[in-house]
Every structure is written in structure tokens, then in C-alpha cells.
Amino acid sequence: LSWPDGQASQASPTQMQGLQVLVFLLLAPSASGAADCEALQVLFQDTSGSTWQNNTNWLSHEPCCNWHGITCSNGEVVRIDMAFNGLTGTVPPEISNLPMIVDLVLEHNALSGTLGSELGKLTAMSQFFAGGTYISGVIPESFKNIKANRLLDLSVTSVSGTLPERYFQKGGIHHLNLGLTGISGSLPAQLFMNPLDYLNFGRTSVSGVLPVEIGKPDQLDHLYLEHTAVSGTIPMEVGKLSRLYDLDLEKTSISGTIPPQIGGMTRLDYLHFGKCTGISGTIPPTVKALSRIDYLDLEQTRISGTVPPEVGGMTGIDFLYMEETQLSGTVPTALGKLKQLDILYLDDTKISGTVMPEFGEMQGLDFLYLGGTPISGTLPNELQVLELDSLHIGRSKLSGSIPPQLSKLGALDYVNLGRTAITGTLPPQISKLNNLDYLYLDGAPISGTVPKQWGKLKELDILCLNTTHLSGTLPPELRHMERLDFLYIEENSISGTLPPQYGKLEVIDFLSFDNTLLSGTIPPQIGKLDRLKDLDLDYTRLSGTIPNELGQCDNFYELDLDSTRISGTIPKSFKKLNRLFDLEMDTTKLSGTIPVSLKDMKRLSLLTIFGTTISGTLPSQAIDEWEDLQTLELYDTALSGTLPEAVDELASMETLLLGNTAISGSLPNEIMGLPSLEVLSMKATPLSGTISSDVVKMTSVLDMSLGQTRVSGTLPKQFGQLTNIIGIKLEGAQLSGTLPPEMAKLTKLDTLALKGNRFSGSMPAMFMGMLALGTCELSGHLSPGGTSNKFTCPLPKGIPQACGTIHCADEDTQPMVFILAGIAALV
């Protein structure tokens, strides 16, 4: 057989596979194994055999017993092992024509489709591996016919449904792995009557309780039920599982106490109760018998009481997690016997006492976490003999100073002593910790200066010195921290200038010095930090202009320059900051206009420039592009002009503050159509127009301030549908007409300011239900000689006391004053 001249090299994989099949059919043996070979041929075709990683001898003149992955006995196929071989497609029904198959291994391939009921014909099949594939559907009822089946592995597939009852009733099951599938239903008690040695339903939707029969399979060595809906208590019969190595019940609905019989599982290596929030009681002293245990996790349970000294008997343990529990008391000195312990997590508990010197005897200790506890005292010198990787005692009552001997822990890569009572100064010797990645000392009353020697910490990734008593200047030597990603030195008395050398921190992402005494100007060299994402310089004494070079930091997503002495104009180079979503420049000496080029900030979410002398108009081109804008605060500026029509496109807008500006024109009806708007203020502007009935569309509004404007007309009855509003501030406008009775529905209203308008007519008895009112201004002038509301007498009863004095006029227009507080009444 041959291809036409010149076409062999152009054959597709499908054509090549077809040719292989044809050759096989011509050369196939006629012996008793021919039927087996034909079934294998279909497997080859249906799973793209030509693209397998290994298809040696398949569809060749070689007997099929010599094909890769095939094992025969007496000329019949008894084993197919195609694990990790690149099979794609579906398992053909013809596979059931291999009646003597014992082992079918198809795991970790790209197989899909469902498990055919024909597989139930493979009554001799002892082991079936199909885990790590895309197979879906349910386990066929016909599996009950596979009497010889000892092992079934369908883990990490899309298999769903429940386990066929008659399958586990047949007995003989040793290994059942259905973890990470869609299997559901109740955990069958009868399953534990099988001679199980491995059972995995982890990360499925299996529910039910742990049956007392759990102690029956005395050969069980692995039991995984983590991340399931299994509930109930832990039966004391678990103590009979003397051969069990792994027991994982993490994040289940198991409740109750840990039975003392757990000490009977003397071979236990891995015990995971973490995140079982229903588990309570104390740690049973019988854990002493678990001398071989390597891993114990009780995190995020309701375990209480003290850590029993018997824990010191678990001499083989490497990992001990007890964080976020209700444990109390002191750490028993017996823990010093755990020479192999690598990780000890006791953070966020009620553990008290001191950091005991016996920790220094735990020669294998790498991670010591005692943060978020009432631990007090000082760091003992005995810790310096350890090879600690991580030390976390932050958020505790630790006191004293940072011992210079800490520098002897050369393996340290994580230190958290933040939010403690540690005082003193920062030891220069810390610079010897060559492996240090993370250093948190925030919230501690540490004083003095930042040592220049710390510039030698070339591996440091995060340095957090926020909210301390530090003073002095920033050492330029920190520029040598080549891997520094986060530098936080906020809320302290650091002064002097921002060193231009920090422009060489090439991998820095976050740079924050807000609420410090920094002065001088922003160094242009900061613009070289092309990875910088967040620059916080707010609430400092920085002055001068914003350097154009900052526009080169095109990875910025947050830039905070507010509450500084920055002056000048907004650089046009900011148009390059197209990833920015938070720009705060308020309460500064900025002037000029808002550049149209800011329209390129298409991801902008927050813009604050209030409290400046910014003038000009709000650029409509920018409003058109700021589709994600949520907060726009431009009040107390010299802005003028009218609101752009494109304001109705700001569907994400939540806060719009434009008060105390010269913005004029009519109140755009489009503003009333902003569904996410929560706070609207255009107070003290020349704004005119009316409040339309479209106000009903402002379903999210909480506060509306249009006081001291020229807004006129009546108050629409649709105001009554703004049931979430807590503040209506319309004082000093030109509104008239009567108050709509529908406002009685505004039961959450806290502030109602309507004085200085021209409201008239009878006051509706709406106020009786406004029990939340804290501020109420209905009468009086906003300024001498100004207009005021004239409500018709008599006034309704039950007006909230918060409304104070209300003036009304009788038919003869004689003033009538009611002092509602009950002090007096004047007619």
C-alpha cells in the first residue's frame, strides 16, 4: 500500500489513523484473541490513537498483547493501562467485549462522555481508574454486576448523581475514590460494611452523618470527607480505626466534641478538623497516644479550654494548627518536647502568658504564630538558637524592645510585631537578616529613626512602619532594597524631604507616606518607577508643582495628593495614566482647569479636586469617557458653566458633589435618571430649573442637597417613593406650592431642611410617622429679609419636636407661632 506520489507528507492524522486501521484489518490474527484485538482497535479509533503520547505497536503486525499498555494472560487481555497517555474522545461500548479484563486504567486523559451501562458486563474487572478525565453523567446501575470490583476511582471528574445502592451492598470494595466530583446523596452506612482501605468523598455534595459503622473496616487507612455537607457528631467508634493514617473532615458540618477514643488511632499521621465551626469542647488528653501524628489542624473550630500538656506526647508532629479557636490559658511548657515541630499556629486565640523560653528547645520550629492573642512580656533570648522562618506575635500585648539578638535568626523571612506595646528604637542589626521578605512593625510605639543600615535588606519585599512614633528623615540608603514592593511609613513624625534616590526602587508597587511631616517637593525621579501602582502623599507638607514625570507612571491605579501644599496646574501628561481609578487632589493649592486630556482615564472611579481654585468648566469629553466613575467631588472650587448632557451616561455614579461652585443652568433632568446615585449636592450654586417627577428613578439616593439655588417649582409627589432617603436639604431655594402628603412614607428621613422657600397651604399631617427626624427646619428666613414658608393654620398635631418652632398664618395673614416643645404657645 502506498500514497499517491507527493501526497504522503500531506496526510492528516485522521487519514494516517485510517490507514493504520486498514493495515491492521489485513494483518489481524485469527486466533482466539482476535475479538479482544478488535475491541482495542475501536478504542484506538475513538480516542484518537494516532495522537497518543505512546502508541507503540498499536494496529501493527505485532500481537495485540505486545501493544503499549496491554497485558494478557493466556492470550486474553487482562489489563489496559493508558494513564497519562493523551487519549481524547469517549470510551467505546466495545470495551465490554473484553470479558477477562481485570484492570482498566484510563486516568488523567482528556476522555469525555458518560460511563456506558455496558461496563457492567466486565464482571471480572477488579480495578477501574478513570479519575482526572472529563467523564460526566452518573455511575450506571449495572456496576452492581461487577462482583470482582475492589477499586473504583472516578475522582476529579464531572460524574454526578448518587452511588448505586446495590453497588456497595455487593461487598468486596476496598478502594473508593469519588473526591472532587458532583456525587451527592447521603453517606451510606452499609458502605462501611465493606473491607475498605481507602474512601474519598472529599469536596463533593455528599451529606448525612458519620455512622457508628465507621469503625467496622479495620483495614481503613485513608478517609477523606472534607468540604462536604456531612454533619452530626464524631462517633466514638472511630477509635477502632487503628490502622488509619489520614482523617480529613475539614469544613464539614460536623459538630460536638472530639471523643477521647481518638487516642485509639495510634497510626494516625494526618488529622484535619479545621474550619468545622460546630466542633467544640476541649482537646482530649488522649491525644498523647498519637505519637506518630505529623499534622493536626483544629483551626477555626470552637475548641476551648487550655492546651493540655499531653500534646507534648505527640513527638512526631510537624504541623500544629490551632489558630482562631477559643483556646485560653498559657502555652504548656511540655510543648518544648516537640523537637520536630515545624509549624505552630496559635494566633487569634485567648492564649495568654508570655513567649516561653522553652520555645527555644523546639529545634525544628520554623513558623511561630502567636499574633492576635493576649500574650505579653518580652521576646526571650532563647529564640535566637532557632532556625525560624516566620515570627508573628503582632496584635498582642508584647512589650519591651526589639532585641538586637533577633538578627541572629538568619533564616527569618517574615516578622510581624505590629500593633504591640513594643517600644525603643529600630535596631540597625536587623540589616543582617539577609533572607527577610516581610517586616511589619506598624502600630507599635517605636521611636527614633529608620536606620540607614536597613538599606542592606536586599530581599525585603514589604516594609510597614505605619502609625509609630518614628521621627527624623527618610534615609536615601533604602534605595538599595532591590526587591522592595511595598513601603508604608504612614502616620508618624517623619520629616524632611522625599529622597530622589527612591526613584531607583525599580520594582516598587506601593509607596505611602501620608499623614507625615514630609516637606519639599515631589522628586521628578519618582516618575521613573514604571511599576508603581499606588502613591500616597496626602496629609503631608509637600509643596511645589506636580512634576510632569509622574505621567510616566502608567501603571498607576491610585494617586493621593490631597491635603498637601501642592500648587500649579494638573499636568497634561496625566493623560497617560489610563489605568488610574483613584485620583485625589483635593484641599490643595491647585489652579487652572481640568484638562480635557483626562478623558483617557477611562477606568477612573474616583476624582476629588474640591477645596482648590480649579476653574473653567467640567469637560464634556471627559464625562463621555468616564463610564466607571462612581465619585466626583468638585465642590468649593471656581468651576462654572453648565453640567454636560453626557452626565446621564454615568450609570455607576454614587456620589456627585458640586456645591459652592459657579455651575449654572437648569438642573438636568438626566441627573434624576442615575440609578446608582446615593449623594447629590449642588448647594450654593446659580443652578435653576425644577425638580421633575423623574426623581422617582433615583432609587438609591440617600442625601439630596439643592439648597441656596434658584431651583423653583413644586416638590413632586414622587418624592414619597424615595423610601431610603435620609437627608433632604432644599433650604433657601425658590420652591413653592404645598408639601406633598406622600412624603409621609419617608420614615428613614433624618434631616429635612425646607426653610427659606415659598411653600404654603396646609401642612400635611405627614410628620407623625417621621420618627427618625433629627434635624427639621421648616420655618424662618435663610437670611434677613429673605423669603419664608407660609403654612396655613391650624398646624397638625404630632409634629416631631425636632422641627422646633414653626410659623403659620391664619386667614387674616396674622402670624401664629407654635412653640412645639411645650415651653409656650403664642397666638
Side-chain angles (χ1 to χ4, degrees):
L1 292 173
S2 64
W3 290 98
D5 291 343
Q7 294 186 19
S9 62
Q10 301 175 15
S12 67
T14 303
Q15 291 173 321
M16 291 297 295
Q17 182 169 301
L19 178 62
Q20 287 176 294
V21 172
L22 178 60
V23 171
F24 166 74
L25 291 174
L26 293 172
L27 301 178
S30 58
S32 60
D36 286 7
C37 293
E38 290 174 5
L40 294 178
Q41 169 213 334
V42 179
L43 176 65
F44 185 89
Q45 286 180 303
D46 288 5
T47 60
S48 302
S50 61
T51 62
W52 291 354
Q53 292 186 20
N54 190 337
N55 56 14
T56 303
N57 290 336
W58 275 76
L59 305 191
S60 70
H61 64 280
E62 287 286 331
C64 58
C65 293
N66 292 341
W67 295 355
H68 168 73
I70 304 301
T71 303
C72 295
S73 177
N74 298 321
E76 308 230 38
V77 175
V78 295
R79 179 179 174 85
I80 299 176
D81 188 352
M82 290 286 125
F84 298 95
N85 202 35
L87 278 68
T88 59
T90 59
V91 180
E94 286 81 1
I95 205 79
S96 62
N97 296 331
L98 301 171
M100 302 307 295
I101 194 81
V102 175
D103 299 331
L104 180 55
V105 185
L106 303 174
E107 61 185 337
H108 298 286
N109 286 292
L111 294 170
S112 56
T114 60
L115 297 172
S117 59
E118 299 86 359
L119 291 172
K121 298 178 183 180
L122 301 177
T123 57
M125 185 167 62
S126 174
Q127 300 186 103
F128 180 34
F129 294 88
T133 64
Y134 299 112
I135 287 175
S136 58
V138 300
I139 300 174
E141 286 287 337
S142 61
F143 269 41
K144 68 180 184 294
N145 301 323
I146 311 177
K147 303 295 184 182
N149 189 234
R150 294 163 51 91
L151 184 150
L152 177 62
D153 188 342
L154 300 174
S155 60
V156 200
T157 65
S158 297
V159 169
S160 58
T162 58
L163 194 64
E165 186 176 352
R166 294 183 62 184
Y167 172 72
F168 56 78
Q169 286 179 347
K170 71 181 180 61
I173 303 172
H174 287 252
H175 185 115
L176 181 59
N177 188 356
L178 298 174
L180 279 166
T181 64
I183 290 290
S184 59
S186 186
L187 187 64
Q190 196 164 354
L191 180 61
F192 291 93
M193 303 304 289
N194 285 268
L196 291 168
D197 57 39
Y198 184 100
L199 180 60
N200 186 358
F201 282 110
R203 300 174 191 270
T204 65
S205 298
V206 164
S207 57
V209 300
L210 291 177
V212 294
E213 290 84 354
I214 195 171
K216 293 290 185 182
D218 57 6
Q219 300 299 308
L220 189 62
D221 51 32
H222 295 82
L223 177 57
Y224 301 106
L225 297 170
E226 77 279 4
H227 292 258
T228 63
V230 170
S231 58
T233 58
I234 304 171
M236 62 181 182
E237 284 78 7
V238 295
K240 297 179 181 179
L241 301 176
S242 58
R243 297 180 63 88
L244 196 67
Y245 288 111
D246 292 355
L247 174 58
D248 195 343
L249 299 176
E250 180 193 18
K251 207 171 185 181
T252 60
S253 298
I254 294 291
S255 58
T257 61
I258 300 174
Q261 289 82 1
I262 202 166
M265 297 191 288
T266 53
R267 292 193 179 186
L268 205 59
D269 182 71
Y270 181 98
L271 181 57
H272 204 330
F273 292 139
K275 301 175 184 175
C276 292
T277 55
I279 288 183
S280 57
T282 59
I283 301 173
T286 52
V287 295
K288 181 179 181 179
L290 306 180
S291 59
R292 295 180 53 173
I293 194 166
D294 178 69
Y295 184 106
L296 174 60
D297 191 348
L298 301 173
E299 65 172 312
Q300 296 181 34
T301 63
R302 291 192 292 123
I303 288 289
S304 58
T306 60
V307 179
E310 287 81 2
V311 170
M314 299 190 298
T315 52
I317 195 163
D318 284 331
F319 308 96
L320 183 54
Y321 298 94
M322 297 187 284
E323 72 271 25
E324 297 182 58
T325 61
Q326 298 178 20
L327 286 170
S328 58
T330 60
V331 180
T333 56
L335 255 63
K337 299 177 183 179
L338 304 179
K339 310 296 184 185
Q340 291 184 210
L341 191 64
D342 181 48
I343 294 177
L344 176 60
Y345 278 31
L346 286 169
D347 44 313
D348 294 297
T349 64
K350 298 176 182 177
I351 295 289
S352 58
T354 61
V355 182
M356 61 180 190
E358 285 79 5
F359 280 129
E361 300 173 12
M362 303 167 74
Q363 299 165 359
L365 195 61
D366 286 333
F367 295 79
L368 177 59
Y369 278 60
L370 301 172
T373 67
I375 288 282
S376 59
T378 60
L379 286 173
N381 289 330
E382 285 79 0
L383 293 183
Q384 64 183 301
V385 301
L386 299 176
E387 293 293 327
L388 279 178
D389 284 337
S390 296
L391 177 63
H392 176 23
I393 316 181
R395 295 180 292 112
S396 70
K397 296 182 179 180
L398 198 69
S399 60
S401 59
I402 303 174
Q405 294 87 342
L406 197 65
S407 62
K408 295 184 179 181
L409 297 174
L412 269 179
D413 63 14
Y414 178 95
V415 175
N416 188 342
L417 301 176
R419 285 180 275 177
T420 62
I422 284 182
T423 57
T425 59
L426 300 176
Q429 295 88 336
I430 295 295
S431 61
K432 297 179 181 179
L433 297 175
N434 296 326
N435 294 302
L436 195 61
D437 286 332
Y438 309 96
L439 179 56
Y440 295 91
L441 298 171
D442 52 304
I446 292 169
S447 58
T449 61
V450 180
K452 64 180 182 181
Q453 293 87 342
W454 282 20
K456 298 177 182 179
L457 296 172
K458 297 186 182 296
E459 296 296 315
L460 198 64
D461 183 55
I462 296 177
L463 176 59
C464 188
L465 300 173
N466 296 344
T467 323
T468 63
H469 296 170
L470 288 172
S471 59
T473 60
L474 293 171
E477 288 80 3
L478 296 190
R479 69 181 176 88
H480 296 300
M481 295 179 171
E482 299 171 353
R483 296 187 57 181
L484 194 63
D485 194 20
F486 298 79
L487 179 57
Y488 297 113
I489 310 183
E490 308 168 358
E491 298 182 37
N492 50 56
S493 299
I494 290 288
S495 60
T497 60
L498 183 58
Q501 292 86 345
Y502 288 6
K504 296 184 179 180
L505 294 171
E506 296 180 355
V507 300
I508 196 83
D509 281 341
F510 297 85
L511 200 54
S512 184
F513 302 106
D514 62 84
N515 285 279
T516 64
L517 302 178
L518 281 179
S519 59
T521 60
I522 302 174
Q525 291 85 347
I526 298 297
K528 296 179 181 180
L529 303 176
D530 55 5
R531 287 186 48 171
L532 191 61
K533 297 180 177 66
D534 189 337
L535 177 61
D536 294 338
L537 299 174
D538 46 314
Y539 292 93
T540 63
R541 298 178 180 179
L542 288 168
S543 59
T545 60
I546 303 172
N548 284 322
E549 287 81 358
L550 278 191
Q552 298 173 18
C553 299
D554 54 7
N555 277 310
F556 263 146
Y557 66 70
E558 183 170 344
L559 176 58
D560 294 345
L561 302 174
D562 54 292
S563 302
T564 64
R565 300 173 184 177
I566 296 291
S567 59
T569 60
I570 301 172
K572 294 182 180 179
S573 62
F574 273 21
K575 66 174 294 184
K576 301 176 184 178
L577 305 181
N578 52 23
R579 299 183 184 182
L580 197 69
F581 67 77
D582 187 337
L583 178 57
E584 300 179 41
M585 299 184 291
D586 56 88
T587 325
T588 62
K589 297 181 179 181
L590 283 176
S591 57
T593 61
I594 300 175
V596 175
S597 58
L598 296 193
K599 67 183 178 63
D600 294 330
M601 297 180 179
K602 296 184 179 181
R603 297 176 60 182
L604 196 64
S605 173
L606 183 148
L607 176 61
T608 65
I609 319 180
F610 63 85
T612 67
T613 55
I614 286 288
S615 59
T617 61
L618 189 57
S620 58
Q621 301 95 320
I623 294 294
D624 271 335
E625 300 294 337
W626 292 343
E627 295 180 357
D628 296 329
L629 195 64
Q630 295 180 0
T631 300
L632 182 61
E633 299 183 10
L634 304 176
Y635 62 93
D636 291 339
T637 63
L639 283 173
S640 58
T642 59
L643 282 177
E645 293 181 2
V647 72
D648 66 334
E649 300 293 330
L650 302 177
S652 300
M653 181 67 73
E654 296 176 358
T655 302
L656 179 60
L657 305 181
L658 301 174
N660 290 300
T661 64
I663 291 177
S664 58
S666 293
L667 177 65
N669 196 45
E670 291 82 3
I671 284 186
M672 303 300 169
L674 298 178
S676 301
L677 194 62
E678 296 178 356
V679 182
L680 170 64
S681 175
M682 298 196 69
K683 176 181 178 180
T685 65
L687 196 69
S688 59
T690 61
I691 302 174
S692 77
S693 59
D694 282 346
V695 72
V696 69
K697 298 178 182 179
M698 301 179 72
T699 54
S700 301
V701 71
L702 301 175
D703 192 283
M704 180 184 292
S705 181
L706 297 174
Q708 302 175 55
T709 64
R710 299 173 186 170
V711 171
S712 59
T714 60
L715 210 55
K717 65 180 182 180
Q718 287 79 5
F719 249 102
Q721 297 183 41
L722 305 180
T723 53
N724 291 316
I725 199 165
I726 58 176
I728 299 177
K729 303 160 189 175
L730 304 174
E731 74 283 359
Q734 299 180 15
L735 293 165
S736 58
T738 59
L739 297 180
E742 287 82 2
M743 291 181 70
K745 301 175 184 178
L746 307 182
T747 56
K748 297 180 181 179
L749 199 63
D750 173 74
T751 301
L752 179 62
L754 300 177
K755 71 177 183 180
N757 280 285
R758 298 172 180 170
F759 290 113
S760 60
S762 298
M763 182 180 294
M766 63 182 185
F767 294 99
M768 295 182 65
M770 293 184 175
L771 303 179
L773 269 180
T775 301
C776 178
E777 299 176 352
L778 300 177
S779 291
H781 308 283
L782 199 64
S783 60
T787 59
S788 64
N789 302 320
K790 295 181 179 180
F791 298 110
T792 304
C793 299
L795 295 172
K797 295 180 180 180
I799 296 177
Q801 185 172 343
C803 294
T805 303
I806 300 180
H807 298 268
C808 70
D810 59 17
E811 293 178 355
D812 297 324
T813 67
Q814 296 298 316
M816 181 179 291
V817 181
F818 282 80
I819 307 299
L820 299 176
I823 300 174
L826 173 63
V827 180

